[in-house]
Every structure is written in C-alpha cells, then in structure tokens.
Amino acid sequence: HQPRHEATNANFPRDGEGRVHHVGVKKGEGGPKFSYVQSFLMTTVANRILSVGDHRRASVIASLFDNPSSNLVTTSSRGFTVHTGTFNKVPVTVIATGMGFPMMDFLVRECRAVVEGPMVIMRFGTCGTPQTHIPIGSVVVASEGSIFIRRNPDAWEQDGSWDEKESKYIFSKVVRSDPEISKRLAENMKKMVADCQVYEGLGATADSFYASQGRTDDSFDDDNANLIDQMLEKYSSISALEMETFHLFDLARCSKGTIRSSAAAIVLAQRRSNAFLDKATTERIEKEGGRAVLLTLSETDLTAPSNGN
Ligand code: R1P
C-alpha cells in the first residue's frame, strides 16, 4: 500500500486526498466554517475563476467578496493561492498564479479537473503597451484575442545552420477571446474604474518578460531591437504585452466547449516612452478593475456556448 499522501497516477497526479499536484486543490472540499453558507461553497474552486499573477492583487480582490472573513483560502507549495467565496451571492474563486504561461497551464487544467460543469475563467493582469496612443494607467481588454510570441532558440545555434533571413522570434496566429464576455468586461471597466481609459484590442503573450517583449539588455545577444516594430507590422492592434493570456484562450479553445474566457490588463509600462505607472494608481485600478471583473464573472451565463473559443 502507498501512504495516503503519495500520488500514484503519473498521467494526472493527485495526492492521496485527491489534491492536484501543483494548484493543491481537490473536488468537494470545504470546512464546517462554510456549511452554514450555501452548499456550493463546499468546494475549493468555483466555476467562475479570476486569475491574477500577483498574490497581493489576489488578496485585495478577494477582500471584495460578500463575506471575506468566510473565504476559503488554499495555498500550495508550488506558488498558487486560491481564494473562494461569493460575489453578489455567486460563488467565485480568485487565484494568484505567479507568472508565465506554464502557471496558466497548471491553473486551467488542474482547476478543470476538480470543477464540475461549465466554467468561465478570466484574467486580470498587468501589461506593457507598444501603442503610443495608449497611456499608462489605462486598461486593455483583449476583445480581439491574443497571439503568442516566442524566442526561437535555434536562431542562436552556432553551427551555421540558421538562415539569417528568418525571424528569431515567432508570432502565432490569433486565438479569440469570448466576444460576449469581453464586451461586458469592457463596459463594466468603463463604468467602474475612475479616471481610466479602457481600450479593446489584441493581446500578445510572450514567453519572457525580456527578450520576446522587445526589452533590450547589453548582457545578452537577443537581437530584438526592432521586435516591437516587427510585431506591430504583423498585428497592428497589439495593445497589451504580457505573459499568460494567450495560453488561457488557447486552452479554453481546446476545452471541448466547457470553458469561456476573456482578459483585461492594467497598462503599467509604456514601451515607446518608457513611462511606468506609480504604485498608488496601480493599486486603485487593481481594486476598481478587480470589482469590474468579479461583476462580469458573476453575471456570465455559464450555460451559453463558448463563442469561438
Ligand atoms: C511580469 O511583470 C508579470 O506581470 C504581468 C505579466 O503577464 C507577468 O506575469 O501580469 P501579472 O501582473 O498578472 O503577473
């Protein structure tokens, strides 16, 4: 016999209590603390999920739930914190993921494994913008979907096999977001975030914060000084550069119609002027925008088809 805490199935590992290997949640979990609320809270993860990179942002948004002192909070040794409660009496979960597309992969696949029925997963992150007309302190909704930008390591192979005419960075095709949810999200952001321009455009998710987002660094041979121009030449409406959204939309597309998704991001960095948003404004928009995403999540019809994802 295996001790109860050990995983036995390498294809989709769960520990002896049924907790998925990285996010650390399981089906039907809840404590006596929640039994007096509604029975749906007897689960670790709700069907409506908000994914954010930053743990502080997740806590701030979870404090906007109906009864924050009753939130169920689960942490995993792999860097996830899961807050579950209700917003406008609708069960919702906010998850802090840390950064990068592999973390989004864990979130979507492992939450899908512990949640019954249709799901909606939204991301509220931060980003840089390559667009000169979009100022810092704006919010970009990925209404046009997202592309993926990755550095091609073969381009640095030193055996002379690389054709210098090829691009060292690879741009994927567009994966769509859910149009109906994106529209509601943009409307709610416009209503609920003060002194903030809300733009709708195409997102671009990169496999690095640095090279594949066109940040230059004398310590490395990245050959990316013109990358921002190149990306806009191919996709002129790229408005948000970040590190997770494409993967969320891609997995929603592959979820056999069970997951709807959209995303928004606060513009922290102006990549042309190099302006960067101050902390006080960032924190205000995280809170007001977080409330707008929670409202959108709570209003979403889970039974509607997944609209192109
Ligand atoms: C980089 O600083 C991180 O910030 C952005 C990027 O996607 C990346 O995760 O989003 P979050 O603020 O949600 O982490």
Side-chain angles (χ1 to χ4, degrees):
H1 290 289
Q2 292 288 340
R4 284 201 69 222
H5 61 278
E6 284 194 14
T8 51
N9 180 351
N11 185 61
F12 204 104
R14 298 175 203 242
D15 71 9
E17 294 182 343
R19 290 179 187 281
V20 290
H21 198 53
H22 307 91
V23 185
V25 289
K26 64 177 186 174
K27 266 188 190 165
E29 181 172 65
K33 193 173 159 197
F34 303 97
S35 55
Y36 66 89
V37 198
Q38 285 122 314
S39 57
F40 52 66
L41 272 187
M42 299 297 287
T43 181
T44 324
V45 182
N47 294 61
R48 298 159 202 269
I49 298 174
L50 168 49
S51 161
V52 306
D54 187 306
H55 287 250
R56 183 193 45 78
R57 188 183 318 135
S59 300
V60 167
I61 295 173
S63 75
L64 305 173
F65 287 5
D66 295 334
N67 188 1
S69 60
S70 292
N71 289 351
L72 176 60
V73 183
T74 311
T75 55
S76 84
S77 61
R78 293 295 194 166
F80 293 88
T81 304
V82 180
H83 305 255
T84 296
T86 62
F87 184 80
N88 287 349
K89 302 206 171 99
V90 177
V92 286
T93 291
V94 174
I95 306 186
T97 63
M99 296 169 275
F101 67 92
M103 296 300 273
M104 184 59 84
D105 197 68
F106 290 127
L107 180 150
V108 177
R109 291 180 187 275
E110 295 190 4
C111 288
R112 178 62 286 178
V114 301
V115 172
E116 302 286 349
M119 297 171 74
V120 51
I121 307 180
M122 299 176 70
R123 178 174 137 73
F124 185 38
T126 59
C127 69
T129 187
Q131 300 286 350
T132 48
H133 69 280
I134 300 183
I136 52 171
S138 310
V139 166
V140 173
V141 177
S143 301
E144 294 177 25
S146 181
I147 63 152
F148 191 45
I149 304 175
R150 67 190 170 89
R151 174 182 170 275
N152 184 352
D154 291 345
W156 283 266
E157 173 61 60
Q158 285 165 354
D159 65 0
S161 61
W162 178 255
D163 178 350
E164 287 299 330
K165 289 197 290 298
E166 283 187 57
S167 171
K168 294 183 172 174
Y169 293 85
I170 299 167
F171 305 121
S172 77
K173 292 185 177 170
V174 174
V175 59
R176 295 177 62 200
S177 53
D178 185 300
E180 188 191 318
I181 300 176
S182 301
K183 187 164 170 270
R184 283 299 292 159
L185 179 58
E187 285 166 5
N188 287 335
M189 285 286 180
K190 283 175 194 163
K191 271 189 277 184
M192 296 167 71
V193 187
D195 305 321
C196 173
Q197 310 260 34
V198 177
Y199 295 87
E200 296 184 68
L202 182 66
T205 294
D207 64 358
S208 162
F209 181 75
Y210 296 103
S212 51
Q213 289 189 31
R215 287 189 165 89
T216 54
D217 180 348
D218 287 343
S219 303
F220 293 90
D221 169 20
D222 290 318
D223 200 4
N224 64 348
N226 298 320
L227 186 59
I228 292 180
D229 292 334
Q230 283 167 28
M231 64 178 86
L232 291 176
E233 210 169 283
K234 183 141 173 96
Y235 294 109
S236 60
S237 59
I238 292 176
S239 305
L241 276 162
E242 50 73 76
M243 297 176 63
E244 298 83 11
T245 297
F246 175 88
H247 201 60
L248 168 60
F249 296 169
D250 186 21
L251 287 181
R253 168 172 68 179
C254 298
S255 69
K256 303 185 175 177
T258 70
I259 301 174
R260 306 177 73 185
S261 62
S262 186
I266 304 166
V267 179
L268 285 193
Q270 207 337 306
R271 297 300 314 289
R272 296 297 201 179
S273 71
N274 274 335
F276 200 85
L277 192 63
D278 66 276
K279 211 164 155 235
T281 311
T282 305
E283 290 179 2
R284 178 181 59 75
I285 300 176
E286 285 177 328
K287 199 163 181 179
E288 294 174 0
R291 190 177 274 116
V293 186
L294 290 177
L295 179 64
T296 312
L297 270 178
S298 69
E299 290 173 340
T300 299
D301 177 4
L302 283 177
T303 60
S306 64
N307 272 328
N309 264 326

